[in-house]
Amino acid sequence: RDFNERCAQCSEVNWGLTDGGRYYCRSCHNVTERTREVVNTDFMTNSRVQTISKHPRKQEKTGGGCEWYVCEGFQLVLKKQAEALEALGVCPQMKDEILCNFWRCYLQKSKQAYCNRPAGETVKALSVCESSTDVDSEPDRPSILHLLSLSESEGDLQTDCSFASSMSKVSENTSVYSGSVDGSLYLMKNQKEKLRMTMPMTLSFCYMALLWLREPMTLSELLRFVVEGHIPYLNVFRLFPEKMKLCGLDLKIFCVESWPVYEEVHNKMLELAAFLDLPRFPDVTDNCFLHPDMLCIKYLMEANLPDELHNWTCRVVKKIGIGEVDFLTLVPGNKSTRKVKYDILAAAVIIVVLKLLFLLDDNYEWLLSDLAEERNKNNKEGGQYFEFKKWYEVVKHSLDVEQKKLDEERAKYVWRCEKPLFYSVKNKSKVLKRRQMVVNLQNQFGKLSGPVQRAEKPNPSSFQLSWSEENTDCFHGHSLKGILQEKRGLLTAMNPDYWLCTVKLCNERLCGHLAHYREVDFPQSYHFVLRLFSFLLRIQPSYIHDEVCMIEHKLFNKKLYKKLKYNTVLRK
């Protein structure tokens, strides 16, 4: 009641007090630097005592570390990832406005901060303390206000000290060992309904922020930058400050020993958006980078395909309606709409166009290539006709070289961190001794073999395969006139046939895929094109095959319906 200033964020006058004595806004949860002055007559008459604005972190008895929570660790990871994305050219407001608000909303929804802590959790922690330390706990303890301060000046979380003390008693008196205060309880609690935070979910947060801002970075690019080391993810705990001791069960939470998976990150992003009750995302319009027409230009350039194919991809996108705003824009929680994977969708459109023009049945495309080769020999105008066979040989050579390089880098990757990690205090001395032995052996072998040149981190680039226009191996300017014919004022394919990848789609919710893909069941030309885009997007070919099947069924929906109806009548 004594503090009547308006909130700097929402202009409301609705203040509450944290346990540290700071004022916070009950409307927008903004924490101020102002503290409450309290008159304490029990201590000394006619004297005023100001409460401590922030409880100092309790220093551990050994190791010189301090108390920290698992959510603090994830907040630090998100901060480092956002800074890395900003260094790559992402809009600066992503970190301070979008990602920060998403994180605050998650902490509030999962009841970790910005809310009244459920009394059950406090009582549970205190009951554990009582059973292990024989200390009487308060049976009717009120719920505690647990607030977070995400300001840059503090750099850590303003946690509830009374709850921290009880949690530290739990961690000290249980056999489970961890560096964080709540590491053991974090893994023991069943938090499926609360969407418990994991390392892959940090990438889901980043992708959700990128999608909200409609940044020109797809999910496949984000994961590729992670693998290349431009975005902290693998061994990210090396960036933790020294006072945040990481050991024991914390390693199961923050130590990652596998590459991020596209499907897992994408599905967690959808779950997060629904869990946070986010509104409809900003519209993905035709001038947005995530629109199929825009992404098709990028992938046509990277796949070294003719520029004229873009006209055909635009026609396919328009005909089946996958370029509409309502189809492309994410609406969290709407189960009736299919969630779009923008990069996979664009790659699938290009493959469908290649099938429309070249059939990709291991026969027709080679016939067209031979005809184009003869025309190029007799061509005096200077323009080149597109030869599928020559394109296949050039791209296959570059693809094999890059794939081999990628496989070698992944095989040589050292998953173990140079900093020794241990799961328990008992094993600490053994781990340190073993680590020292490994370092000594490496130094001895290094003197015998000579200095080993470490592979340099590649510069971040949106393109993995680059083709110079001046090079004869570049097919961007090649013409498709040799395989097209004019019909009713429109250019159409000379090929009247088309083969479908599947006649009937599977239930994606039950099978996990719209169609099943096995290499032996499809032509080698089709498999090569799938393999090319699988390398560019760093995903399994089966996921691209699913999108191809979905586009084909939208494109030939009427013909398929008539065929299925005719077959049903014949069976009757």
Side-chain angles (χ1 to χ4, degrees):
R1 295 179 181 178
D2 300 332
F3 190 51
N4 297 322
E5 293 184 11
R6 292 188 176 274
C7 177
Q9 282 193 0
C10 64
S11 301
E12 293 287 334
V13 182
N14 187 16
W15 299 102
L17 280 175
T18 68
D19 286 346
R22 291 190 180 191
Y23 289 101
Y24 76 95
C25 180
R26 289 195 178 105
S27 301
C28 66
H29 309 294
N30 177 36
V31 182
T32 67
E33 297 296 327
R34 291 286 299 273
T35 55
R36 182 186 181 188
E37 293 184 350
V38 180
V39 178
N40 192 340
T41 57
D42 296 334
F43 176 70
M44 186 180 295
T45 57
N46 299 327
S47 64
R48 304 182 73 185
V49 180
Q50 189 177 23
T51 60
I52 301 174
S53 61
K54 183 179 179 182
H55 292 279
R57 296 277 178 159
K58 178 184 175 182
Q59 298 293 321
E60 293 183 359
K61 295 179 180 179
T62 59
C66 69
E67 290 180 344
W68 62 279
Y69 291 82
V70 172
C71 59
E72 288 183 286
F74 282 118
Q75 178 170 305
L76 182 62
V77 173
L78 286 172
K79 180 175 179 289
K80 297 296 182 180
Q81 289 175 347
E83 289 173 353
L85 286 169
E86 189 174 341
L88 290 173
V90 173
C91 179
Q93 72 179 110
M94 175 205 164
K95 173 189 167 187
D96 298 326
E97 298 181 20
I98 308 302
L99 188 59
C100 184
N101 287 332
F102 285 165
W103 178 240
R104 286 174 174 173
C105 186
Y106 169 77
L107 292 175
Q108 185 179 31
K109 291 280 185 180
S110 59
K111 300 188 183 302
Q112 297 183 61
Y114 298 109
C115 65
N116 292 327
R117 177 172 291 279
E121 294 190 18
T122 307
V123 172
K124 180 180 178 182
L126 292 174
S127 63
V128 176
C129 293
E130 182 181 1
S131 61
S132 58
T133 60
D134 296 330
V135 177
D136 294 334
S137 60
E138 301 175 15
D140 299 325
R141 185 183 182 87
S143 58
I144 305 168
L145 190 64
H146 188 190
L147 288 177
L148 277 168
S149 177
L150 299 177
S151 62
E152 292 290 334
S153 59
E154 295 185 14
D156 55 5
L157 304 181
Q158 182 182 347
T159 53
D160 177 12
C161 291
S162 57
F163 186 79
S165 61
S166 63
M167 294 288 289
S168 61
K169 291 177 183 178
V170 175
S171 59
E172 288 172 5
N173 292 280
T174 54
S175 59
V176 182
Y177 180 69
S178 66
S180 60
V181 173
D182 58 341
S184 56
L185 289 178
Y186 188 84
L187 290 176
M188 287 193 298
K189 285 188 295 186
N190 183 14
Q191 292 190 351
K192 289 184 178 179
E193 69 280 359
K194 295 182 181 179
L195 204 62
R196 184 170 60 185
M197 192 68 184
T198 59
M199 281 301 295
M201 276 178 62
T202 60
L203 300 178
S204 300
F205 265 103
C206 291
Y207 179 58
M208 189 166 60
L210 292 171
L211 188 57
W212 185 274
L213 290 171
R214 297 177 295 179
E215 283 288 326
M217 183 182 292
T218 60
L219 178 56
S220 58
E221 279 185 304
L222 175 68
L223 300 185
R224 179 166 60 85
F225 288 146
V226 167
V227 173
E228 292 177 356
H230 302 297
I231 299 175
Y233 180 76
L234 304 172
N235 293 330
V236 70
F237 47 81
R238 291 180 298 183
L239 303 177
F240 282 22
E242 278 296 321
K243 63 181 181 179
M244 292 178 65
K245 299 295 181 180
L246 194 78
C247 53
L249 292 178
D250 301 327
L251 302 179
K252 293 184 178 181
I253 302 173
F254 294 101
C255 188
V256 180
E257 293 188 354
S258 62
W259 306 105
V261 181
Y262 186 103
E263 279 293 308
E264 181 183 3
V265 175
H266 186 266
N267 291 337
K268 283 296 181 182
M269 185 275 295
L270 299 177
E271 290 183 39
L272 264 175
F275 177 73
L276 301 181
D277 292 328
L278 295 181
R280 176 187 170 108
F281 276 52
D283 292 344
V284 179
T285 56
D286 53 0
N287 61 352
C288 177
F289 179 82
L290 298 175
H291 194 277
D293 291 344
M294 300 289 284
L295 282 176
C296 281
I297 297 176
K298 175 185 183 300
Y299 294 135
L300 286 172
M301 292 176 62
E302 196 164 10
N304 198 15
L305 288 165
D307 299 332
E308 293 181 12
L309 284 175
H310 185 245
N311 296 327
W312 286 83
T313 58
C314 291
R315 288 171 64 177
V316 170
V317 169
K318 185 177 180 181
K319 184 173 180 63
I320 62 179
I322 59 175
E324 301 295 329
V325 173
D326 290 338
F327 178 82
L328 295 173
T329 304
L330 176 62
V331 182
N334 188 355
K335 297 181 179 180
S336 60
T337 57
R338 190 168 186 267
K339 305 304 182 287
V340 181
K341 302 166 186 173
Y342 303 95
D343 39 11
I344 300 179
L345 180 67
V349 169
I350 295 174
I351 294 175
V352 170
V353 168
L354 290 175
K355 287 182 67 178
L356 285 169
L357 299 181
F358 298 97
L359 200 59
L360 301 183
D361 65 344
D362 289 344
N363 184 25
Y364 187 73
E365 64 270 22
W366 307 121
L367 177 63
L368 290 178
S369 184
D370 293 338
L371 294 175
E373 186 179 1
E374 291 181 5
R375 289 178 179 176
N376 284 329
K377 290 179 181 178
N378 302 325
N379 185 18
K380 298 180 180 180
E381 298 178 359
Q384 290 286 319
Y385 291 97
F386 179 69
E387 298 180 34
F388 187 89
K389 182 179 180 181
K390 188 177 180 181
W391 170 83
Y392 172 83
E393 293 173 350
V394 170
V395 175
K396 186 177 185 303
H397 174 71
S398 297
L399 179 61
D400 291 342
V401 171
E402 293 297 324
Q403 185 68 58
K404 183 180 179 181
K405 189 187 301 183
L406 177 63
D407 294 340
E408 289 178 353
E409 289 176 358
R410 290 195 169 188
K412 294 177 181 177
Y413 187 82
V414 180
W415 291 101
R416 291 186 177 275
C417 181
E418 295 180 359
K419 179 181 178 181
L421 305 171
F422 46 91
Y423 283 90
S424 66
V425 180
K426 295 180 180 178
N427 297 333
K428 183 176 180 179
S429 59
K430 294 181 180 179
V431 171
L432 293 175
K433 189 181 295 184
R434 191 180 304 164
R435 183 60 189 170
Q436 187 61 42
M437 187 184 301
V438 171
V439 172
N440 293 336
L441 288 173
Q442 287 177 345
N443 292 335
Q444 291 176 12
F445 282 110
K447 293 177 181 178
L448 295 173
S449 61
V452 179
Q453 294 182 353
R454 292 188 177 183
E456 295 182 359
K457 186 190 298 185
N459 294 325
S461 173
S462 295
F463 293 91
Q464 301 174 72
L465 302 176
S466 58
W467 313 93
S468 175
E469 297 287 346
E470 301 175 354
N471 198 330
T472 56
D473 293 338
C474 181
F475 295 88
H476 293 159
H478 286 211
S479 175
L480 298 175
K481 290 182 180 179
I483 61 172
L484 301 177
Q485 60 183 359
E486 189 172 349
K487 188 177 181 180
R488 297 177 184 177
L490 291 175
L491 289 175
T492 60
M494 294 175 60
N495 167 39
D497 301 323
Y498 190 91
W499 60 272
L500 291 171
C501 292
T502 182
V503 177
K504 188 176 180 181
L505 297 176
C506 297
N507 190 331
E508 191 174 13
R509 293 181 181 177
L510 298 177
C511 301
H513 291 277
L514 290 173
H516 296 283
Y517 175 74
R518 290 196 310 167
E519 182 181 350
V520 294
D521 296 336
F522 295 92
Q524 287 300 308
S525 297
Y526 175 73
H527 172 69
F528 170 75
V529 176
L530 274 185
R531 179 183 160 224
L532 170 61
F533 286 101
S534 171
F535 171 79
L536 296 179
L537 302 183
R538 304 289 177 90
I539 58 172
Q540 295 296 324
S542 57
Y543 294 117
I544 306 177
H545 178 72
D546 282 356
E547 293 295 324
V548 171
C549 294
M550 185 272 294
I551 293 172
E552 288 178 345
H553 276 252
K554 284 180 175 288
L555 195 59
F556 301 104
N557 185 33
K558 292 182 180 179
K559 294 182 179 180
L560 277 172
Y561 177 75
K562 290 180 181 179
K563 184 176 180 180
L564 291 172
K565 188 176 181 180
Y566 177 73
N567 291 337
T568 306
V569 172
L570 287 179
R571 289 175 184 175
K572 290 182 179 179

